[in-house]
Amino acid sequence: MTEKIKISISGVRGIIGEGLDGRMTTSLASAFGQSLNGKPVVVGRDARPTGPQMRLAVLAGLAFSGNDVIDIGLVPTPTVGLMVKHLGAGGGIQISASHNPVEWNALKFFNDKGFFLNEEDFNRFMEFYKGGDFGKATWDRLGQLETRDDAIDIHIDRVLKFVDIEAIRARRLKVVVDGCRSVGGLILPRLLEQLGCEVIRLDCAADGQFTRPLEPTPAHLGGLCEKVKETGADVGFAADPDADRLAMVSEKGLPLGEDFSLALTADYIAGKTGSDIVTNLSTTMSLDDIAKKHGVKIYRTKVGEAHVVQGILEHGAKIGGEGNGGVIVPEVHPGRDAAIGTAVLCELMATRGKGKTISEIAAEIPLYHIVKDKVPAGEYDAGGIEKALSEKFGPPTVDRTEGLKMVWEDSWVHLRPSNTEPIIRIIAEARQLDKANQICRLTRDLLCGQ
Ligand code: MG
């Protein structure tokens, strides 16, 4: 049976009417509001068709817990975090199931610093929600509603302050944006036009009438590839529905793979500022090569945006993120943000990469092949797996921060229990595809006890 609700630190996600309904949504919002001691809450949403109804449930829940609401409308997920901080609010809620299929929606919760709740805070909030003691503000204490339509402009201004606007304007890039019929279509074209780009819009109406599967993975970007070729654009950018993930298509109309969004921005920012790089354990090894090239350190955290952000703040890094297209520039906002990724990549094309195509720039990044697999969750013998793989591929460096990761000179494998599904994920990477497949297959066989 398909799971119809998922509760994790990345929020509460469910199929509307089956796992997540109006009553639960109102209760969650109400409990969250009450846990903030009546402080104002910023609320945004992506363009999913169930967003307007979810919004009503969230606003009702917050108002009856006595929280004033600042409704910022259709916005990317990072915009909510950024506005919480900007307005000094008590917290934020984004209504978005990110890349989940259309029948899903979700609530994501931000603390007063504009970060996603960490594990401890989220668990505390869930306990409070289960206690049921919320939503009872008296008639003279109900929350008031304020709506604002300037959040995306404030976000764009913040991004523009970070990049070399004049250099990018002088480059006069021709760009296609695939907005995924959601909020990426509201922020990316406006940002790029302010950077002097000629923008061709594909699926930029934020009406939730999705035309492609929602993750910006290479297999889903056929429309963007065609449009880039047809228009002779310099590059294509694609977002997921809540515009925290970014993918690129080259001037040849070929998808570069989501890993390149972080690899290219990290290469550029580490080279320019000498910053260390923070990423998760399952992100490409090309970041290790990039760190070595610039003489900076690379720190790897558990998988999940909250963990990476924590690592970035701990190490004072200026760049970090996740291989799924999640670029994080903490100076703009400490969370994954397609807008900052887009602007930094334009600056790279306009400055260090001037005179080169995006394909030529991408070819400077060492290429690895990642393969993924999964097996049903269960106990496994980490020591036995380590021994068997050592015998086959030589002694690895072992990291047990999350699950088991073994790293060789030009390859690695990471196996870890999933946070959201009853499975163990296997991710392997190597310079040669054959070797990545071989490592992945052997790990899978060992996990299955063969
Ligand atoms: Mg997303």
Side-chain angles (χ1 to χ4, degrees):
M1 196 185 82
T2 320
E3 227 181 333
K4 290 173 180 160
I5 189 148
K6 291 177 182 173
I7 299 175
S8 75
I9 60 163
S10 56
V12 178
R13 286 179 284 168
I15 296 177
I16 299 303
E18 293 182 35
L20 182 60
D21 57 22
R23 194 162 73 161
M24 188 176 181
T25 303
T26 306
S27 296
L28 283 162
S30 211
F32 181 66
Q34 187 109 8
S35 74
L36 303 178
N37 297 319
K39 290 188 189 133
V41 180
V42 174
V43 175
R45 65 180 174 94
D46 72 11
R48 280 169 189 275
T50 53
Q53 295 81 357
M54 290 286 286
R55 169 184 172 270
L56 293 175
V58 167
L59 299 191
L62 289 168
F64 281 96
S65 274
N67 301 81
D68 289 343
V69 177
I70 305 142
D71 177 11
I72 59 172
L74 284 167
V75 291
T77 294
T79 313
V80 174
L82 193 141
M83 286 300 285
V84 168
K85 190 80 195 299
H86 181 78
L87 298 169
I93 298 178
Q94 169 74 328
I95 303 162
S96 165
S98 189
H99 58 270
N100 282 53
V102 65
E103 63 273 22
W104 289 74
N105 213 329
L107 303 181
K108 299 180 174 190
F109 302 94
F110 295 81
N111 68 15
D112 61 350
K113 295 186 180 69
F115 302 171
F116 283 133
L117 299 191
N118 63 26
E119 215 154 357
E120 200 185 329
D121 290 344
F122 184 79
N123 291 340
R124 197 178 308 131
F125 161 50
M126 275 293 123
E127 283 307 309
F128 185 67
Y129 164 69
K130 285 173 197 156
D133 190 21
F134 47 76
K136 294 171 187 162
T138 54
W139 67 272
D140 54 344
R141 302 276 165 155
L142 299 184
Q144 303 295 316
L145 174 66
E146 178 194 348
T147 57
R148 294 181 66 129
D149 60 6
D150 58 353
I152 285 185
D153 290 330
I154 290 168
H155 189 161
I156 289 175
D157 281 348
R158 193 74 68 83
V159 171
L160 292 175
K161 282 201 180 79
F162 186 80
V163 291
D164 185 343
I165 302 176
E166 292 316 314
I168 302 171
R169 284 185 180 154
R171 177 71 173 78
R172 305 181 68 82
L173 290 159
K174 187 172 180 180
V175 179
V176 185
V177 173
D178 171 353
C180 195
R181 291 296 262 258
S182 190
V183 295
L186 299 180
I187 193 165
L188 298 184
R190 271 157 73 183
L191 169 66
L192 288 161
E193 278 169 355
Q194 293 199 43
L195 290 169
C197 302
E198 181 189 340
V199 180
I200 297 135
R201 291 166 164 80
L202 175 70
D203 281 349
C204 282
D207 58 8
Q209 301 299 307
F210 302 132
T211 60
R212 63 157 164 91
L214 304 179
E215 274 196 287
T217 49
H220 301 161
L221 300 182
L224 178 60
C225 293
E226 252 171 60
K227 200 67 165 173
V228 168
K229 267 200 285 192
E230 181 191 312
T231 57
D234 295 301
V235 64
F237 290 114
D240 72 334
D242 65 327
D244 58 353
R245 286 168 59 181
L246 176 72
M248 268 186 300
V249 164
S250 77
E251 80 293 347
K252 293 179 180 158
L254 297 172
L256 290 179
E258 295 159 284
D259 273 314
F260 274 89
S261 304
L262 177 60
L264 286 169
T265 47
D267 184 30
Y268 182 63
I269 292 179
K272 192 175 156 183
T273 66
S275 167
D276 295 333
I277 300 166
V278 179
T279 189
N280 68 39
L281 287 162
S282 286
T283 294
T284 179
M285 201 174 204
S286 60
L287 287 170
D288 295 77
D289 297 340
I290 288 165
K292 206 179 286 170
K293 179 170 97 181
H294 298 299
V296 303
K297 291 199 183 79
I298 179 162
Y299 297 99
R300 289 190 180 265
T301 70
K302 288 184 184 178
V303 174
E305 180 172 350
H307 298 299
V308 179
V309 168
Q310 206 171 331
I312 287 175
L313 299 174
E314 262 170 36
H315 298 294
K318 292 185 163 55
I319 179 70
E322 299 190 291
N324 58 10
V327 176
I328 302 171
V329 174
E331 196 176 317
V332 173
H333 169 62
R336 299 180 307 180
D337 180 8
I340 187 63
T342 299
V344 171
L345 288 162
C346 287
E347 184 180 313
L348 164 61
M349 283 188 270
T351 57
R352 206 194 72 196
K354 202 172 174 183
K356 292 178 188 166
T357 63
I358 189 68
S359 300
E360 287 162 349
I361 296 169
E364 292 165 11
I365 300 287
L367 184 66
Y368 288 86
H369 298 275
I370 276 195
V371 292
K372 297 176 184 180
D373 206 341
K374 56 191 174 189
V375 297
E379 294 293 312
Y380 60 88
D381 171 16
I385 292 173
E386 193 184 317
K387 188 163 173 284
L389 290 173
S390 301
E391 278 165 15
K392 177 85 180 164
F393 302 106
T397 306
V398 177
D399 186 331
R400 294 192 190 233
T401 310
E402 184 183 28
L404 173 66
K405 185 175 180 183
M406 284 166 278
V407 185
W408 295 274
E409 201 190 330
D410 62 356
S411 58
W412 55 268
V413 64
H414 184 204
L415 54 105
R416 65 176 186 92
S418 162
N419 294 321
T420 51
E421 293 171 74
I423 55 168
I424 297 173
R425 295 187 192 283
I426 309 165
I427 303 110
E429 189 183 52
R431 289 287 270 187
Q432 274 80 37
L433 180 60
D434 279 358
K435 187 165 181 195
N437 277 324
Q438 198 188 359
I439 296 173
C440 192
R441 207 164 36 235
L442 181 54
T443 308
R444 185 199 158 88
D445 291 347
L446 289 164
L447 275 169
C448 295
Q450 289 168 11

